[in-house]
Protein backbone atom coordinates (compact mmCIF):
# COMPACT_ATOMS: atom_id res chain seq x y z
CA UNK A 1 0.00 0.00 0.00
CA UNK A 2 2.70 2.49 0.91
CA UNK A 3 3.78 2.86 -2.67
CA UNK A 4 5.00 5.78 -4.67
CA UNK A 5 2.56 7.47 -7.02
CA UNK A 6 4.58 6.14 -9.97
CA UNK A 7 4.28 2.58 -8.66
CA UNK A 8 0.57 3.00 -8.00
CA UNK A 9 0.13 4.40 -11.51
CA UNK A 10 1.93 1.38 -12.95
CA UNK A 11 -0.04 -1.11 -10.85
CA UNK A 12 -3.30 0.49 -12.01
CA UNK A 13 -2.19 0.67 -15.64
CA UNK A 14 -1.03 -2.96 -15.60
CA UNK A 15 -4.39 -3.94 -14.09
CA UNK A 16 -2.61 -5.43 -11.07
CA UNK A 17 -5.14 -3.61 -8.94
CA UNK A 18 -8.31 -1.67 -9.71
CA UNK A 19 -9.01 1.76 -8.31
CA UNK A 20 -11.95 0.25 -6.44
CA UNK A 21 -9.72 -2.35 -4.77
CA UNK A 22 -7.13 0.28 -3.93
CA UNK A 23 -9.75 2.59 -2.46
CA UNK A 24 -11.33 -0.22 -0.46
CA UNK A 25 -7.91 -1.03 0.99
CA UNK A 26 -7.44 2.57 2.10
CA UNK A 27 -10.95 2.75 3.55
CA UNK A 28 -10.39 -0.48 5.47
CA UNK A 29 -7.15 0.84 6.89
CA UNK A 30 -8.79 4.15 7.79
CA UNK A 31 -11.53 2.25 9.59
CA UNK A 32 -9.05 0.40 11.78
CA UNK A 33 -6.42 3.10 12.27
CA UNK A 34 -8.19 6.44 12.30
CA UNK A 35 -9.56 6.16 15.83
CA UNK A 36 -5.95 5.82 17.07
CA UNK A 37 -4.57 8.90 15.33
CA UNK A 38 -7.62 11.03 14.39
CA UNK A 39 -6.20 12.11 11.04
CA UNK A 40 -9.58 12.28 9.28
CA UNK A 41 -12.50 14.29 10.60
CA UNK A 42 -14.80 13.22 7.78
CA UNK A 43 -14.43 9.93 5.92
CA UNK A 44 -16.09 10.04 2.50
CA UNK A 45 -16.49 6.32 1.75
CA UNK A 46 -19.39 6.75 -0.63
CA UNK A 47 -17.82 9.55 -2.64
CA UNK A 48 -14.51 7.70 -2.73
CA UNK A 49 -16.03 4.44 -3.96
CA UNK A 50 -18.01 6.18 -6.64
CA UNK A 51 -14.90 8.14 -7.65
CA UNK A 52 -13.03 4.85 -7.88
CA UNK A 53 -15.69 3.18 -10.02
CA UNK A 54 -15.77 6.01 -12.48
CA UNK A 55 -11.94 6.01 -12.58
CA UNK A 56 -12.00 2.27 -13.35
CA UNK A 57 -14.47 2.90 -16.14
CA UNK A 58 -12.34 5.66 -17.61
CA UNK A 59 -9.24 3.50 -17.41
CA UNK A 60 -11.02 0.68 -19.19
CA UNK A 61 -11.70 3.13 -22.03
CA UNK A 62 -8.02 4.11 -22.05
CA UNK A 63 -8.71 7.59 -20.67
CA UNK A 64 -5.94 7.73 -18.13
CA UNK A 65 -4.66 10.90 -16.50
CA UNK A 66 -1.61 11.08 -14.20
CA UNK A 67 -3.69 10.47 -11.07
CA UNK A 68 -6.59 8.46 -12.48
CA UNK A 69 -7.78 6.03 -9.82
CA UNK A 70 -5.50 7.38 -7.09
CA UNK A 71 -7.41 8.81 -4.10
CA UNK A 72 -6.33 11.71 -1.90
CA UNK A 73 -6.98 13.28 1.49
CA UNK A 74 -7.94 16.95 1.63
CA UNK A 75 -7.38 19.35 4.52
CA UNK A 76 -10.67 20.55 5.95
CA UNK A 77 -10.09 24.20 4.99
CA UNK A 78 -10.11 23.40 1.26
CA UNK A 79 -13.58 23.48 -0.28
CA UNK A 80 -14.97 20.27 -1.69
CA UNK A 81 -18.37 20.47 -3.38
CA UNK A 82 -21.08 18.63 -1.44
CA UNK A 83 -18.56 17.47 1.16
CA UNK A 84 -18.81 19.31 4.48
CA UNK A 85 -15.82 21.61 4.97
CA UNK A 86 -15.55 22.90 8.52
CA UNK A 87 -12.09 24.43 9.00
CA UNK A 88 -12.38 22.40 12.24
CA UNK A 89 -14.38 25.30 13.66
CA UNK A 90 -17.84 25.42 15.20
CA UNK A 91 -18.67 28.43 13.08
CA UNK A 92 -18.48 26.35 9.88
CA UNK A 93 -19.56 23.06 11.39
CA UNK A 94 -22.26 22.34 8.83
CA UNK A 95 -20.84 24.28 5.91
CA UNK A 96 -21.43 22.42 2.68
CA UNK A 97 -19.53 24.15 -0.15
CA UNK A 98 -21.31 24.59 -3.44
CA UNK A 99 -18.04 24.49 -5.36
CA UNK A 100 -14.66 22.78 -5.44
CA UNK A 101 -11.43 24.67 -4.78
CA UNK A 102 -9.55 25.09 -8.06
CA UNK A 103 -6.69 22.89 -6.78
CA UNK A 104 -9.16 20.10 -5.96
CA UNK A 105 -10.93 20.52 -9.27
CA UNK A 106 -7.65 20.20 -11.15
CA UNK A 107 -6.74 17.05 -9.25
CA UNK A 108 -10.19 15.62 -10.01
CA UNK A 109 -9.54 16.39 -13.67
CA UNK A 110 -6.23 14.54 -13.35
CA UNK A 111 -8.25 11.55 -12.12
CA UNK A 112 -8.06 11.74 -8.33
CA UNK A 113 -10.96 11.82 -5.86
CA UNK A 114 -11.48 12.48 -2.16
CA UNK A 115 -11.11 9.80 0.51
CA UNK A 116 -11.88 12.21 3.31
CA UNK A 117 -11.21 15.55 4.97
CA UNK A 118 -8.34 15.88 7.39
CA UNK A 119 -7.97 17.40 10.82
CA UNK A 120 -6.32 20.79 11.39
CA UNK A 121 -6.08 23.59 13.87
CA UNK A 122 -9.18 25.77 13.70
CA UNK A 123 -8.81 28.11 10.70
CA UNK A 124 -5.22 26.78 10.33
CA UNK A 125 -4.08 28.71 13.39
CA UNK A 126 -1.74 26.53 15.35
CA UNK A 127 1.09 24.03 15.40
CA UNK A 128 -0.41 20.83 16.80
CA UNK A 129 -4.07 20.37 15.66
CA UNK A 130 -4.92 20.76 19.33
CA UNK A 131 -6.97 23.82 18.33
CA UNK A 132 -9.44 21.61 16.46
CA UNK A 133 -13.04 21.15 17.57
CA UNK A 134 -12.59 17.46 16.71
CA UNK A 135 -9.70 16.86 19.12
CA UNK A 136 -6.05 16.56 18.13
CA UNK A 137 -4.30 14.28 15.65
CA UNK A 138 -1.72 11.97 17.22
CA UNK A 139 1.65 11.39 15.63
CA UNK A 140 1.63 7.93 14.00
CA UNK A 141 5.32 7.51 14.87
CA UNK A 142 4.51 7.82 18.58
CA UNK A 143 1.00 8.64 19.69
CA UNK A 144 2.18 10.40 22.86
CA UNK A 145 3.26 13.19 20.53
CA UNK A 146 1.37 15.61 18.29
CA UNK A 147 1.36 15.24 14.54
CA UNK A 148 2.15 18.94 14.21
CA UNK A 149 -0.02 21.55 12.59
CA UNK A 150 -1.92 23.02 11.25
CA UNK A 151 -2.08 20.34 8.48
CA UNK A 152 -1.45 17.61 11.08
CA UNK A 153 -4.28 15.39 9.84
CA UNK A 154 -2.89 15.39 6.30
CA UNK A 155 0.65 14.59 7.51
CA UNK A 156 -0.53 11.80 9.81
CA UNK A 157 -2.78 10.32 7.09
CA UNK A 158 0.20 10.00 4.74
CA UNK A 159 2.58 8.81 7.49
CA UNK A 160 0.15 6.11 8.62
CA UNK A 161 -0.56 4.96 5.07
CA UNK A 162 -4.17 6.19 5.17
CA UNK A 163 -3.78 8.15 1.92
CA UNK A 164 -1.20 8.09 -0.87
CA UNK A 165 -1.02 11.89 -0.74
CA UNK A 166 -2.82 14.76 0.91
CA UNK A 167 -3.44 18.44 0.38
CA UNK A 168 -2.55 20.89 3.10
CA UNK A 169 -2.17 24.64 3.40
CA UNK A 170 0.90 26.57 4.47
CA UNK A 171 0.57 30.15 5.70
CA UNK A 172 3.42 29.99 8.18
CA UNK A 173 4.78 26.46 7.91
CA UNK A 174 1.62 24.38 8.21
CA UNK A 175 2.58 21.90 5.49
CA UNK A 176 6.30 21.65 6.24
CA UNK A 177 6.17 21.48 10.04
CA UNK A 178 3.74 18.53 10.33
CA UNK A 179 5.56 16.81 7.45
CA UNK A 180 8.81 17.12 9.44
CA UNK A 181 7.15 15.95 12.68
CA UNK A 182 5.54 12.88 11.06
CA UNK A 183 8.47 11.92 8.81
CA UNK A 184 6.85 12.61 5.43
CA UNK A 185 7.66 15.05 2.62
CA UNK A 186 5.81 18.37 2.50
CA UNK A 187 5.93 21.01 -0.21
CA UNK A 188 4.83 24.64 -0.01
CA UNK A 189 4.79 26.12 -3.52
CA UNK A 190 5.69 29.71 -4.40
CA UNK A 191 2.96 32.18 -3.55
CA UNK A 192 0.84 32.40 -6.70
CA UNK A 193 1.86 29.03 -8.16
CA UNK A 194 -1.38 27.34 -7.04
CA UNK A 195 -4.76 29.07 -7.04
CA UNK A 196 -6.14 29.92 -3.61
CA UNK A 197 -9.72 29.90 -4.89
CA UNK A 198 -11.64 27.69 -2.48
CA UNK A 199 -8.99 27.71 0.21
CA UNK A 200 -10.71 29.24 3.22
CA UNK A 201 -8.67 32.35 3.95
CA UNK A 202 -6.48 32.76 7.01
CA UNK A 203 -3.83 35.31 5.93
CA UNK A 204 -4.36 35.83 2.21
CA UNK A 205 -0.96 37.34 1.41
CA UNK A 206 0.76 34.17 2.62
CA UNK A 207 -1.76 31.29 2.26
CA UNK A 208 -0.75 28.59 -0.20
CA UNK A 209 -2.09 25.11 -0.88
CA UNK A 210 0.65 22.50 -0.64
CA UNK A 211 1.17 18.75 -0.87
CA UNK A 212 2.10 16.12 1.71
CA UNK A 213 3.31 12.81 0.34
CA UNK A 214 5.91 10.12 0.73
CA UNK A 215 8.50 11.78 -1.46
CA UNK A 216 9.47 14.92 -3.34
CA UNK A 217 8.74 13.02 -6.54
CA UNK A 218 5.14 12.41 -5.42
CA UNK A 219 4.82 16.07 -4.40
CA UNK A 220 6.09 17.11 -7.84
CA UNK A 221 3.57 14.88 -9.63
CA UNK A 222 0.65 16.31 -7.65
CA UNK A 223 1.88 19.91 -7.77
CA UNK A 224 2.30 19.66 -11.53
CA UNK A 225 -1.44 18.98 -11.86
CA UNK A 226 -2.49 21.90 -9.63
CA UNK A 227 -0.22 24.74 -10.66
CA UNK A 228 -0.93 27.62 -12.99
CA UNK A 229 -3.11 30.61 -13.61
CA UNK A 230 -6.70 30.77 -12.43
CA UNK A 231 -8.92 33.67 -13.36
CA UNK A 232 -10.63 33.26 -9.98
CA UNK A 233 -7.42 34.12 -8.12
CA UNK A 234 -5.87 37.44 -9.17
CA UNK A 235 -2.63 36.55 -7.39
CA UNK A 236 -2.11 33.36 -9.39
CA UNK A 237 0.82 33.31 -11.79
CA UNK A 238 0.12 34.79 -15.22
CA UNK A 239 0.93 32.90 -18.41
CA UNK A 240 3.64 34.68 -20.35
CA UNK A 241 5.20 36.25 -17.26
CA UNK A 242 8.82 35.62 -16.28
CA UNK A 243 7.58 33.79 -13.19
CA UNK A 244 5.45 31.47 -15.28
CA UNK A 245 8.42 30.74 -17.53
CA UNK A 246 10.65 29.93 -14.56
CA UNK A 247 8.00 27.69 -13.05
CA UNK A 248 7.35 25.80 -16.28
CA UNK A 249 11.00 25.27 -17.18
CA UNK A 250 11.89 24.20 -13.64
CA UNK A 251 9.15 21.60 -13.60
CA UNK A 252 10.22 20.32 -17.01
CA UNK A 253 13.76 19.86 -15.77
CA UNK A 254 12.49 18.24 -12.61
CA UNK A 255 10.66 15.56 -14.59
CA UNK A 256 13.30 15.06 -17.24
CA UNK A 257 15.86 14.23 -14.52
CA UNK A 258 14.41 10.73 -14.25
CA UNK A 259 13.30 8.67 -17.17
CA UNK A 260 14.07 5.08 -16.47
CA UNK A 261 12.36 3.85 -13.35
CA UNK A 262 15.41 2.90 -11.32
CA UNK A 263 17.93 5.38 -12.68
CA UNK A 264 19.61 7.57 -10.09
CA UNK A 265 18.46 11.18 -10.12
CA UNK A 266 21.34 13.49 -10.89
CA UNK A 267 22.18 16.59 -8.92
CA UNK A 268 20.20 19.54 -10.30
CA UNK A 269 22.40 22.11 -12.01
CA UNK A 270 21.25 25.38 -10.45
CA UNK A 271 21.74 28.73 -12.17
CA UNK A 272 25.51 28.51 -12.56
CA UNK A 273 25.77 24.97 -13.80
CA UNK A 274 26.97 23.96 -10.38
CA UNK A 275 24.43 23.82 -7.60
CA UNK A 276 25.22 26.32 -4.84
CA UNK A 277 23.63 25.69 -1.47
CA UNK A 278 23.54 28.43 1.17
CA UNK A 279 24.03 27.25 4.74
CA UNK A 280 22.98 29.89 7.31
CA UNK A 281 25.10 28.77 10.25
CA UNK A 282 23.31 30.91 12.81
CA UNK A 283 20.01 29.22 11.97
CA UNK A 284 21.59 25.81 12.53
CA UNK A 285 22.91 27.05 15.88
CA UNK A 286 19.38 28.16 16.70
CA UNK A 287 17.95 24.65 16.21
CA UNK A 288 18.28 21.78 18.64
CA UNK A 289 21.65 20.07 18.08
CA UNK A 290 20.20 16.74 16.97
CA UNK A 291 18.12 18.43 14.25
CA UNK A 292 21.10 20.53 13.14
CA UNK A 293 23.44 17.53 12.99
CA UNK A 294 21.00 15.36 11.00
CA UNK A 295 20.49 18.12 8.43
CA UNK A 296 24.22 18.88 8.13
CA UNK A 297 24.94 15.24 7.45
CA UNK A 298 22.21 15.19 4.78
CA UNK A 299 23.83 18.25 3.17
CA UNK A 300 27.00 16.15 2.78
CA UNK A 301 25.14 14.06 0.19
CA UNK A 302 24.86 17.16 -1.98
CA UNK A 303 28.53 18.00 -1.44
CA UNK A 304 29.61 14.47 -2.36
CA UNK A 305 27.78 14.82 -5.65
CA UNK A 306 29.56 18.08 -6.46
CA UNK A 307 27.36 20.84 -5.03
CA UNK A 308 29.09 23.83 -3.47
CA UNK A 309 28.00 24.72 0.04
CA UNK A 310 28.35 28.36 0.90
CA UNK A 311 28.07 29.78 4.44
CA UNK A 312 25.54 32.63 4.27
CA UNK A 313 24.44 35.33 6.67
CA UNK A 314 20.75 35.83 7.32
CA UNK A 315 20.83 39.04 9.37
CA UNK A 316 18.14 40.59 7.23
CA UNK A 317 15.76 37.72 7.95
CA UNK A 318 15.88 38.47 11.66
CA UNK A 319 12.58 39.14 13.39
CA UNK A 320 10.61 37.40 10.65
CA UNK A 321 8.60 35.73 13.39
CA UNK A 322 7.29 39.07 14.69
CA UNK A 323 6.43 40.33 11.24
CA UNK A 324 4.66 37.05 10.50
CA UNK A 325 2.46 36.99 13.58
CA UNK A 326 1.43 40.63 13.23
CA UNK A 327 0.61 40.33 9.53
CA UNK A 328 -1.09 36.92 9.94
CA UNK A 329 -3.28 38.13 12.80
CA UNK A 330 -4.08 41.41 11.01
CA UNK A 331 -5.19 39.62 7.86
CA UNK A 332 -7.09 37.01 9.87
CA UNK A 333 -9.00 39.69 11.75
CA UNK A 334 -10.17 41.07 8.44
CA UNK A 335 -10.80 37.71 6.70
CA UNK A 336 -12.75 36.25 9.58
CA UNK A 337 -15.02 39.30 9.72
CA UNK A 338 -17.31 37.53 7.24
CA UNK A 339 -18.47 34.98 9.81
CA UNK A 340 -21.30 37.01 11.20
CA UNK A 341 -24.13 34.50 11.36
CA UNK A 342 -25.99 36.40 8.66
CA UNK A 343 -24.65 35.11 5.38
CA UNK A 344 -23.58 31.52 5.97
CA UNK A 345 -22.20 29.22 8.60
CA UNK A 346 -23.51 28.82 12.07
CA UNK A 347 -25.94 31.36 13.51
CA UNK A 348 -26.88 31.98 17.12
CA UNK A 349 -29.95 34.17 17.04
CA UNK A 350 -29.84 37.28 19.24
CA UNK A 351 -32.28 40.07 19.97
CA UNK A 352 -31.18 42.10 16.92
CA UNK A 353 -28.53 41.96 14.19
CA UNK A 354 -25.74 43.27 16.42
CA UNK A 355 -26.57 40.82 19.17
CA UNK A 356 -26.77 37.95 16.64
CA UNK A 357 -23.29 38.77 15.33
CA UNK A 358 -21.85 38.93 18.84
CA UNK A 359 -23.50 35.70 19.98
CA UNK A 360 -22.62 33.86 16.77
CA UNK A 361 -18.95 34.82 16.89
CA UNK A 362 -18.69 34.19 20.57
CA UNK A 363 -20.07 30.67 20.25
CA UNK A 364 -18.50 29.91 16.88
CA UNK A 365 -14.82 30.71 17.44
CA UNK A 366 -12.68 29.14 20.10
CA UNK A 367 -10.01 30.81 22.21
CA UNK A 368 -7.01 30.81 19.87
CA UNK A 369 -9.00 32.26 16.98
CA UNK A 370 -10.53 34.97 19.18
CA UNK A 371 -7.08 35.86 20.52
CA UNK A 372 -5.71 36.32 17.01
CA UNK A 373 -8.71 38.33 15.80
CA UNK A 374 -8.23 40.67 18.75
CA UNK A 375 -4.46 40.95 18.27
CA UNK A 376 -4.95 41.63 14.57
CA UNK A 377 -7.67 44.21 15.13
CA UNK A 378 -5.42 45.95 17.63
CA UNK A 379 -2.46 45.98 15.23
CA UNK A 380 -4.66 47.57 12.56
CA UNK A 381 -6.41 50.08 14.75
CA UNK A 382 -6.01 53.84 14.53
CA UNK A 383 -2.98 54.95 16.52
CA UNK A 384 -1.33 51.52 16.49
CA UNK A 385 -1.29 50.81 12.76
CA UNK A 386 2.05 52.56 12.17
CA UNK A 387 3.56 51.09 15.27
CA UNK A 388 2.68 47.47 14.49
CA UNK A 389 1.19 46.66 11.09
CA UNK A 390 3.22 49.13 9.07
CA UNK A 391 6.41 48.19 10.88
CA UNK A 392 5.72 44.50 10.18
CA UNK A 393 5.21 45.31 6.49
CA UNK A 394 8.51 47.21 6.42
CA UNK A 395 10.20 44.23 8.01
CA UNK A 396 8.64 42.02 5.39
CA UNK A 397 10.15 44.16 2.61
CA UNK A 398 13.54 43.84 4.29
CA UNK A 399 13.15 40.07 4.45
CA UNK A 400 12.25 39.94 0.76
CA UNK A 401 15.25 42.08 -0.10
CA UNK A 402 17.41 39.90 2.13
CA UNK A 403 16.36 36.78 0.24
CA UNK A 404 16.94 38.48 -3.12
CA UNK A 405 20.45 39.27 -2.03
CA UNK A 406 20.98 35.72 -0.79
CA UNK A 407 19.81 34.23 -4.05
CA UNK A 408 22.36 36.29 -5.95
CA UNK A 409 25.04 34.03 -4.55
CA UNK A 410 23.26 30.70 -4.00
CA UNK A 411 20.52 28.63 -5.70
CA UNK A 412 19.02 27.08 -2.60
CA UNK A 413 19.09 27.59 1.14
CA UNK A 414 19.03 24.58 3.47
CA UNK A 415 18.17 24.63 7.20
CA UNK A 416 16.39 22.31 9.60
CA UNK A 417 12.63 22.56 8.90
CA UNK A 418 11.81 23.20 12.54
CA UNK A 419 14.00 24.09 15.50
CA UNK A 420 12.93 20.87 17.22
CA UNK A 421 11.08 17.56 16.87
CA UNK A 422 7.36 16.99 17.61
CA UNK A 423 5.66 18.50 20.65
CA UNK A 424 4.38 16.10 23.26
CA UNK A 425 0.58 16.24 23.62
CA UNK A 426 -0.30 19.35 25.62
CA UNK A 427 3.24 20.77 25.52
CA UNK A 428 2.54 23.56 23.03
CA UNK A 429 -0.71 24.53 24.77
CA UNK A 430 1.19 24.92 28.02
CA UNK A 431 3.76 27.14 26.31
CA UNK A 432 0.92 29.30 24.92
CA UNK A 433 2.24 32.12 22.70
CA UNK A 434 5.84 31.09 23.55
CA UNK A 435 5.28 28.11 21.26
CA UNK A 436 4.87 30.54 18.34
CA UNK A 437 8.65 31.01 18.48
CA UNK A 438 9.15 27.47 17.19
CA UNK A 439 7.84 28.70 13.82
CA UNK A 440 10.86 30.96 13.32
CA UNK A 441 12.64 28.88 10.69
CA UNK A 442 9.41 28.30 8.76
CA UNK A 443 7.84 31.73 8.31
CA UNK A 444 10.48 33.62 6.28
CA UNK A 445 9.53 31.60 3.16
CA UNK A 446 5.88 32.64 3.59
CA UNK A 447 6.67 36.31 4.09
CA UNK A 448 8.72 36.26 0.89
CA UNK A 449 6.42 33.87 -1.05
CA UNK A 450 9.17 31.32 -1.72
CA UNK A 451 8.91 27.60 -2.58
CA UNK A 452 10.02 25.45 0.33
CA UNK A 453 10.19 21.71 0.85
CA UNK A 454 10.64 19.56 3.94
CA UNK A 455 12.17 16.10 3.51
CA UNK A 456 12.77 13.60 6.31
CA UNK A 457 16.43 13.12 7.28
CA UNK A 458 16.37 10.67 10.13
CA UNK A 459 15.25 10.61 13.74
CA UNK A 460 16.32 11.96 17.11
CA UNK A 461 17.21 9.81 20.14
CA UNK A 462 13.54 9.56 21.09
CA UNK A 463 12.80 8.15 17.63
CA UNK A 464 11.00 11.30 16.41
CA UNK A 465 11.48 12.36 12.77
CA UNK A 466 13.65 15.33 11.75
CA UNK A 467 13.04 17.42 8.63
CA UNK A 468 15.44 19.22 6.30
CA UNK A 469 14.06 22.34 4.61
CA UNK A 470 15.10 23.28 1.08
CA UNK A 471 14.05 26.79 0.00
CA UNK A 472 14.53 28.40 -3.39
CA UNK A 473 13.83 31.74 -5.00
CA UNK A 474 10.33 32.64 -6.14
CA UNK A 475 9.01 30.23 -8.80
CA UNK A 476 12.10 28.02 -8.62
CA UNK A 477 9.69 25.32 -7.39
CA UNK A 478 11.09 22.82 -9.89
CA UNK A 479 14.63 23.25 -8.61
CA UNK A 480 13.52 22.85 -4.99
CA UNK A 481 11.64 19.64 -5.85
CA UNK A 482 14.57 18.38 -7.96
CA UNK A 483 16.91 18.86 -5.00
CA UNK A 484 14.50 16.91 -2.79
CA UNK A 485 14.27 14.15 -5.37
CA UNK A 486 18.03 14.04 -5.72
CA UNK A 487 18.43 13.59 -1.97
CA UNK A 488 15.75 10.91 -1.76
CA UNK A 489 16.49 8.98 -4.95
CA UNK A 490 19.89 9.80 -6.35
CA UNK A 491 21.58 10.84 -3.14
CA UNK A 492 22.13 7.24 -2.14
CA UNK A 493 25.56 7.26 -3.72
N1 LIG B 1 1.86 27.99 13.23
C1 LIG B 1 1.51 28.97 12.28
C2 LIG B 1 0.33 29.76 12.77
O1 LIG B 1 -0.32 29.33 13.66
C3 LIG B 1 1.26 28.31 10.98
C4 LIG B 1 -0.06 28.46 10.38
C5 LIG B 1 -0.23 27.97 8.98
O2 LIG B 1 0.72 27.82 8.21
N2 LIG B 1 -1.48 27.79 8.61
O3 LIG B 1 0.05 30.82 12.31
Amino acid sequence: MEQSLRKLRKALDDRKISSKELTEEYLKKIETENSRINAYVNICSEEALSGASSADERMSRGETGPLTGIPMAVKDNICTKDIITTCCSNILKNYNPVYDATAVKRLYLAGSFTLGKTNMDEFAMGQTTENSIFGSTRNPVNTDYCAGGSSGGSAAAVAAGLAPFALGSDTGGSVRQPAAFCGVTGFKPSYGAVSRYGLIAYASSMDQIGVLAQSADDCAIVFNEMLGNDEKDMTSVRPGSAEYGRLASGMKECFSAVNAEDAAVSLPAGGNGKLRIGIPEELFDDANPECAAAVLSAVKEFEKAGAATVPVKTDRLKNALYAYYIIACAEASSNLGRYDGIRYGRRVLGTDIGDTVIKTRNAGFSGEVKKRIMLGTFALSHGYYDMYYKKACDLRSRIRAGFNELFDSVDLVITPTVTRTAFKSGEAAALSTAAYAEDRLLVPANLAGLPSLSVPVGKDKAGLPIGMMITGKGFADGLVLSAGRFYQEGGRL
Side-chain angles (χ1 to χ4, degrees):
M1 279 268 279
E2 277 147 58
Q3 284 176 342
S4 69
L5 293 185
R6 284 177 200 269
K7 289 213 171 108
L8 280 179
R9 174 79 276 125
K10 194 162 182 327
L12 287 161
D13 289 346
D14 294 349
R15 304 280 187 270
K16 294 250 164 59
I17 190 167
S18 68
S19 174
K20 187 154 176 281
E21 287 161 345
L22 180 69
T23 304
E24 278 167 350
E25 266 184 57
Y26 278 113
L27 289 171
K28 215 160 73 203
K29 203 159 175 206
I30 292 169
E31 202 181 308
T32 55
E33 291 283 301
N34 195 52
S35 56
R36 192 171 68 92
I37 58 170
N38 199 26
Y40 286 93
V41 295
N42 181 6
I43 301 159
C44 309
S45 317
E46 237 173 75
E47 291 86 347
L49 289 171
S50 97
S53 303
S54 81
D56 281 330
E57 250 170 60
R58 270 176 284 142
M59 284 191 288
S60 71
R61 291 199 299 268
E63 294 165 18
T64 305
L67 297 170
T68 305
I70 302 177
M72 63 174 162
V74 179
K75 187 177 179 180
D76 210 25
N77 61 347
I78 301 175
C79 288
T80 38
K81 187 171 186 287
D82 296 331
I83 298 176
I84 300 281
T85 299
T86 69
C87 254
C88 293
S89 175
N90 267 319
I91 212 152
L92 285 176
K93 206 164 174 187
N94 299 312
Y95 175 55
N96 194 6
V98 292
Y99 66 99
D100 284 314
T102 298
V104 167
K105 201 166 168 182
R106 289 188 178 167
L107 295 178
Y108 285 174
L109 281 174
S112 190
F113 47 89
T114 302
L115 269 175
K117 303 299 292 276
T118 56
N119 203 4
M120 55 182 277
D121 290 291
E122 182 175 355
F123 281 99
M125 298 175 184
Q127 304 158 301
T128 58
T129 69
E130 285 168 324
N131 305 329
S132 160
I133 57 160
F134 300 108
S136 68
T137 300
R138 262 83 59 196
N139 195 316
V141 176
N142 180 339
T143 50
D144 291 339
Y145 289 81
C146 295
S150 62
S151 315
S154 290
V158 173
L162 308 186
F165 72 92
L167 294 186
S169 67
D170 192 314
T171 304
S174 280
V175 162
R176 292 161 290 155
Q177 186 255 38
F181 284 1
C182 291
V184 300
T185 303
F187 178 57
K188 178 202 99 69
S190 295
Y191 184 80
V194 175
S195 168
R196 288 179 295 111
Y197 181 69
L199 167 65
I200 297 175
Y202 163 18
S204 311
S205 75
M206 296 183 282
D207 294 342
Q208 263 300 276
I209 291 178
V211 192
L212 297 106
Q214 285 174 36
S215 67
D217 188 43
D218 286 1
C219 288
I221 290 170
V222 176
F223 171 60
N224 203 42
E225 299 306 316
M226 304 194 291
L227 59 79
N229 180 257
D230 176 14
E231 61 176 21
K232 297 196 175 86
D233 175 3
M234 290 297 287
T235 60
S236 67
V237 63
R238 278 165 210 264
S241 63
E243 289 81 9
Y244 196 92
R246 201 176 322 144
L247 186 59
S249 68
M251 288 310 288
K252 212 161 130 201
E253 266 165 44
C254 178
F255 284 115
S256 67
V258 154
N259 302 313
E261 210 172 296
D262 291 319
V265 180
S266 51
L267 185 74
N272 263 9
K274 177 177 179 155
L275 188 72
R276 299 159 306 167
I277 299 174
I279 304 292
E281 276 156 13
E282 66 272 28
L283 299 186
F284 279 80
D285 292 343
D286 194 23
N288 107 13
E290 279 186 90
C291 294
V295 175
L296 283 175
S297 93
V299 167
K300 294 253 171 342
E301 298 294 327
F302 290 95
E303 282 175 341
K304 273 194 244 161
T309 46
V310 185
V312 288
K313 289 250 167 285
T314 47
D315 298 345
R316 297 185 77 183
L317 309 188
K318 266 203 190 109
N319 299 325
L321 187 73
Y322 307 107
Y324 169 77
Y325 271 95
I326 289 173
I327 293 171
C329 291
E331 292 187 19
S333 77
S334 156
N335 274 325
L336 272 56
R338 72 191 65 173
Y339 305 105
D340 52 12
I342 311 290
R343 289 167 283 192
Y344 53 85
R346 179 185 168 145
R347 172 184 301 165
V348 180
L349 211 55
T351 49
D352 55 26
I353 287 190
D355 193 42
T356 297
V357 172
I358 291 170
K359 289 208 166 92
T360 297
R361 289 170 70 80
N362 204 18
F365 294 132
S366 47
E368 182 65 26
V369 176
K370 284 180 189 161
K371 178 161 80 189
R372 294 194 191 202
I373 291 174
M374 285 191 275
L375 284 173
T377 307
F378 176 75
L380 289 173
S381 59
H382 182 70
Y384 295 99
Y385 181 92
D386 284 356
M387 207 192 295
Y388 294 104
Y389 183 69
K390 191 168 172 297
K391 220 169 169 181
C393 292
D394 291 346
L395 210 54
R396 184 180 196 172
S397 307
R398 246 175 81 107
I399 289 161
R400 284 206 175 119
F403 269 119
N404 284 342
E405 226 174 75
L406 258 180
F407 287 120
D408 279 343
S409 57
V410 296
D411 303 298
L412 297 170
V413 174
I414 291 185
T415 65
T417 306
V418 198
T419 45
R420 52 169 293 154
T421 49
F423 293 102
K424 225 176 179 156
S425 297
E427 186 186 348
L431 287 169
S432 182
T433 42
Y436 293 180
E438 306 297 346
D439 289 343
R440 60 192 181 273
L441 300 181
L442 295 156
V443 299
N446 300 84
L447 287 162
L450 309 178
S452 190
L453 176 78
S454 177
V455 294
V457 289
K459 294 188 170 169
D460 70 2
K461 279 201 278 303
L464 298 167
I466 296 170
M468 162 168 78
M469 186 161 71
I470 307 172
T471 303
K473 70 168 149 199
F475 296 95
D477 300 53
L479 180 66
V480 168
L481 288 163
S482 295
R485 286 184 60 186
F486 163 75
Y487 174 72
Q488 291 176 325
E489 298 171 50
R492 292 183 239 99
L493 294 173

